[in-house]
């Protein structure tokens, strides 16, 4: 297979291992995909398009320009999903008090200068990819989009066999959701240009892990071609 | 105030043979050590039209439990007052409208019904949640299915539940069975749960009491809790 982006992070041993045991071909996707966008809200990119370190001054969770670049790519993928009649599900954090899944994870970090209004703004899905009427929005209280949410019921009732994912972070909620999705035996797809993280090494190594074990990590072009094929097949069915 | 194990609302519908068969379930009932109060689907729609027989409300308010809902209001207020006085966490469940997108059929039951009013799934005004209470939105019958309820219970150190709400045969029953499956000791307060169908109500409580939960009268539950309060102050 061609050299993938994560190869630059391999040690010599990893390179050899990958040659011997690395994934040789894609698992493939099914006929009923659903497009799931995970945690694409303002607090992980800030309100302005700024370099990560600039953005972090106000938004400590920011992924900076890499996040914005992924959002711009996701706009294209989202338009493709909508055009081709592929169900779209937005997943975001639930903010009901007991939100953090580790105790004391914020200890020892500087306080942010965010006002309550800005914190609320930070919880909103960014305008570029915001839901339109008829699209499902699911709130979660864990890393995985499946844990403690009705996502599984929705996918089953939509008769989905494939879940294509965008969003953040690659190493956190995307990974947890993809692992759970694969566990429920959905064919999982991760669109490389549309997922993002605040640490590059985590981003690439998690893409590698997900691609090896649980999903096909594919390019935006590949995903859009796939959505077009699904859309075209639908039209044929309707006409027939 | 001591109640016999079978001294409950199902007495008039369960015959002696069945009681004999169910003898093996007989045991002491109790309220768990660190309980939370779980209020299931106590939203406006269940109370609409007032304290009338549900058949009279059928046309205008098909989801109302009418008089069966209204007779639980006072006991429910008592339970809530007791829980709040003892800082027992209060958790409300209501129906999730966020994921009810057009054309996607994921709801608690297969019931048909007319268009809902805006405040249909808001908690009934007599039991308005306090800021410190938890409000959890569910899409299915069980409070556990597709919700973060267990995560919250673990985080709050809860080992048991006291269940109130509706309907006894639907969401209450499903939630209590799941609570048992998840390892929580559960008390169902007989005077604080209701259903449109008295027979379903009684049989569901009978089933739950024998297999999965302790169905207790409100004065028993209040006595258990106030004894605990005394021990604490000593």
């Amino acid at each position: 297979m061609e050299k993938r982006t994560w190869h630059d992070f391999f040690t010599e041993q990893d390179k050899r291992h990958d040659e011997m045991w690395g994934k040789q071909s894609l698992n493939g996707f099914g006929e009923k995909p659903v497009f799931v966008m995970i945690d694409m809200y303002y607090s992980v990119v800030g309100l302005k398009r700024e370099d990560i370190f600039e953005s972090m001054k106000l938004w400590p969770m920011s992924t900076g320009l890499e996040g914005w670049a992924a959002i711009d790519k996701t706009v294209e993928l989202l338009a493709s999903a909508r055009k081709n009649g592929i169900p779209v599900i937005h997943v975001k954090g639930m903010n009901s008090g007991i939100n953090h899944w580790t105790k004391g994870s914020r200890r020892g970090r500087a306080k942010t200068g965010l006002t309550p209004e800005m914190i609320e703004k930070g919880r909103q899905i960014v305008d570029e990819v915001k839901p339109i009427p008829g699209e499902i929005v699911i709130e979660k209280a864990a890393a995985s989009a499946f844990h403690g949410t009705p996502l599984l019921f929705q996918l089953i009732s939509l008769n989905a066999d494939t879940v294509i994912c965008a969003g953040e972070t690659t190493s956190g909620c995307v990974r947890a959701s993809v692992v759970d999705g694969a566990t429920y035996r959905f064919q999982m797809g991760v669109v490389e240009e549309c997922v993002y993280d605040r640490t590059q090494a985590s981003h690439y190594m998690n893409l590698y892990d997900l691609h090896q074990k649980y999903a096909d990590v594919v390019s935006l072009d590949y995903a859009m071609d796939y959505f077009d094929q699904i859309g075209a097949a639908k039209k044929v069915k309707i006409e027939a | 105030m001591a109640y016999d194990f079978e001294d409950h609302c199902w007495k008039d519908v369960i015959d002696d043979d069945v009681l004999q068969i169910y003898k093996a379930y007989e045991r002491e009932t109790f309220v768990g050590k660190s309980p939370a109060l779980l209020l299931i689907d106590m939203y406006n729609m269940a109370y609409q039209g007032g304290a009338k027989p549900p058949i009279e409300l059928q046309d205008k308010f098909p989801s109302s439990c009418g008089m069966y809902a209204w007779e639980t209001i006072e006991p429910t207020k008592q339970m809530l007052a007791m829980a709040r006085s003892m800082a027992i966490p209060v958790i409300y469940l209501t129906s999730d409208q966020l994921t009810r997108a057009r054309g996607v059929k994921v709801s608690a039951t297969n019931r048909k019904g007319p268009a809902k009013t805006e405040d249909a799934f808001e908690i009934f005004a007599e039991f308005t949640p306090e800021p410190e209470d938890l409000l959890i939105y569910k899409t299915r019958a069980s409070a556990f299915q597709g919700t973060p309820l267990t995560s919250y219970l673990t985080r709050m150190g809860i080992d048991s539940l006291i269940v109130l709400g509706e309907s006894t045969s639907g969401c209450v029953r499903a939630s209590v069975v799941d609570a048992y499956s998840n390892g929580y000791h559960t008390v169902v307060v007989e005077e604080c749960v209701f259903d449109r169908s008295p027979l379903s109500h009684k049989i569901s409580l009978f089933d739950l009491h024998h297999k999965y939960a302790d169905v207790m009268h409100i004065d028993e539950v209040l006595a258990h809790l106030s004894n605990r309060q005394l021990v604490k102050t000593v």
Side-chain angles (χ1 to χ4, degrees):
Chain A
M1 280 192 98
E2 84 272 36
K3 182 173 180 254
R4 302 293 302 252
T5 47
W6 48 79
H7 283 206
D8 294 337
F9 288 84
F10 280 172
T11 63
E12 288 309 312
Q13 180 180 314
D14 295 341
K15 283 175 191 161
R16 215 179 130 196
H17 191 273
D18 190 58
E19 274 165 29
M20 290 170 67
W21 189 243
K23 185 167 171 176
Q24 295 303 315
S25 62
L26 296 177
N27 308 332
F29 298 143
E31 288 162 14
K32 290 278 286 178
V34 169
F35 180 42
V36 175
M37 296 159 60
I38 300 165
D39 290 353
M40 301 188 73
Y41 36 69
Y42 280 108
S43 67
V44 285
V45 285
L47 302 180
K48 281 187 282 185
R49 292 171 181 250
E50 289 172 325
D51 165 78
I52 185 166
F53 296 115
E54 195 56 39
S55 186
M56 278 176 69
K57 286 178 186 166
L58 191 55
W59 302 93
M61 307 284 282
S62 184
T63 55
L65 292 174
E66 287 170 8
W68 282 107
I71 287 169
D72 288 342
K73 297 292 185 186
T74 305
V75 169
E76 295 178 42
L77 187 56
L78 178 58
S80 168
R82 285 172 179 162
K83 182 185 79 183
N84 288 303
I86 288 155
V88 174
I89 300 181
H90 303 259
V91 181
K92 64 195 282 266
M94 182 188 283
N95 300 289
S96 50
I98 311 179
N99 205 26
H100 298 294
W101 43 88
T102 51
K103 284 186 183 176
S105 63
R106 298 291 175 274
R107 225 172 275 156
R109 290 190 191 167
K111 279 228 174 94
T112 68
L114 295 169
T115 62
E117 294 75 38
M118 288 185 78
I119 290 171
E120 187 47 43
K121 177 73 178 171
R123 290 169 179 161
Q124 305 307 314
I125 293 174
V126 299
D127 277 347
E128 283 82 343
V129 292
K130 74 176 176 203
I132 57 174
E135 289 175 355
I136 300 164
V137 181
I138 289 175
E139 294 187 348
K140 64 182 174 63
S144 166
F146 288 91
H147 191 96
T149 77
L151 178 58
L152 180 63
F153 316 155
Q154 295 288 354
L155 293 175
I156 291 171
S157 72
L158 288 165
N159 193 24
D161 58 11
T162 301
V163 179
I164 304 297
C165 299
E168 64 80 40
T169 59
T170 319
S171 63
C173 298
V174 171
R175 181 179 181 132
S177 305
V178 170
V179 173
D180 278 358
T183 309
Y184 285 122
R185 300 303 186 270
F186 293 103
Q187 289 159 273
M188 300 303 292
V190 176
V191 184
E192 180 161 357
E193 294 94 322
C194 300
V195 293
Y196 46 112
D197 206 308
R198 55 186 74 83
T199 40
Q200 292 175 330
S202 297
H203 172 75
Y204 287 108
M205 288 330 294
N206 276 284
L207 282 182
Y208 166 70
D209 288 344
L210 290 174
H211 188 61
Q212 287 299 311
K213 296 178 171 133
Y214 309 108
D216 285 339
V217 176
V218 300
S219 68
L220 177 61
D221 285 345
Y222 185 97
M224 293 195 14
D225 281 349
Y226 169 59
F227 282 175
D228 283 342
Q229 282 166 31
I230 299 295
K234 275 185 189 168
K235 275 184 197 136
V236 170
K237 265 186 208 158
I238 291 163
E239 281 160 14
Chain B
M1 211 185 53
Y3 290 94
D4 183 75
F5 188 70
E6 302 290 351
D7 197 359
H8 288 280
C9 61
W10 53 78
K11 273 197 299 194
D12 60 336
V13 293
I14 306 289
D15 63 43
D16 288 341
D17 284 358
V18 173
L19 288 180
Q20 190 61 37
I21 296 164
Y22 276 69
K23 269 263 182 245
Y25 290 104
E26 218 173 289
R27 64 198 185 274
E28 282 281 317
T29 56
F30 65 99
V31 178
K33 212 169 139 199
S34 307
L37 206 61
L38 204 64
L39 285 79
I40 298 172
D41 294 354
M42 298 171 90
Y43 43 63
N44 289 325
M45 228 166 60
Y47 301 84
Q48 280 170 336
K52 294 181 187 154
I55 188 72
E56 291 176 23
L57 304 168
Q58 188 62 17
D59 290 339
K60 268 183 95 178
F61 308 113
S63 292
S64 181
C65 297
M67 56 190 270
Y68 304 118
W70 282 74
E71 65 193 21
T72 67
I73 291 176
E74 278 313 309
T76 300
K77 283 161 81 174
Q78 283 180 43
M79 278 307 308
L80 264 173
M82 178 58 113
R84 296 198 194 288
S85 77
M86 297 181 70
I88 290 173
V90 178
I91 304 172
Y92 293 82
L93 277 301
T94 188
S95 175
D96 170 24
Q97 298 306 299
L98 193 63
T99 57
R100 295 280 173 83
R102 260 197 320 251
V104 181
K105 176 66 185 158
V106 175
S107 61
T109 70
N110 286 319
R111 199 154 198 275
K112 289 197 282 279
K116 315 271 189 289
T117 55
E118 191 84 330
D119 64 349
F121 295 111
E122 270 170 36
I123 302 299
F124 188 58
E126 295 275 5
F127 324 119
T128 302
E130 299 284 335
E132 69 273 17
D133 299 337
L134 260 181
L135 182 58
I136 295 179
Y137 298 90
K138 66 181 176 67
T139 45
R140 294 304 200 186
S142 165
F144 290 90
Q145 282 288 336
T147 76
L149 180 57
T150 49
S151 308
Y152 286 129
L153 296 177
T154 304
R155 203 62 199 272
M156 298 189 297
I158 299 299
D159 67 358
S160 52
L161 299 169
I162 302 171
V163 172
L164 330 176
E166 62 95 20
S167 67
T168 319
S169 64
C171 298
V172 168
R173 183 177 181 135
S175 303
V176 171
V177 174
D178 278 359
Y180 178 81
S181 303
N182 281 305
Y184 299 100
H185 174 76
T186 303
V187 166
V188 181
V189 188
E190 182 169 325
E191 289 77 8
C192 299
V193 291
F194 56 99
D195 200 294
R196 301 178 191 89
S197 152
L199 186 59
S200 296
H201 171 79
K202 290 175 184 179
I203 299 291
S204 293
L205 285 183
F206 174 81
D207 289 341
L208 290 175
H209 184 60
H210 291 83
K211 293 178 173 155
Y212 309 111
D214 291 357
V215 175
M216 294 170 75
H217 293 284
I218 182 161
D219 49 3
E220 288 180 279
V221 178
L222 293 175
H224 269 255
L225 291 173
S226 51
N227 285 343
R228 192 172 298 182
Q229 224 166 6
L230 284 177
V231 174
K232 263 190 185 164
T233 42
V234 173

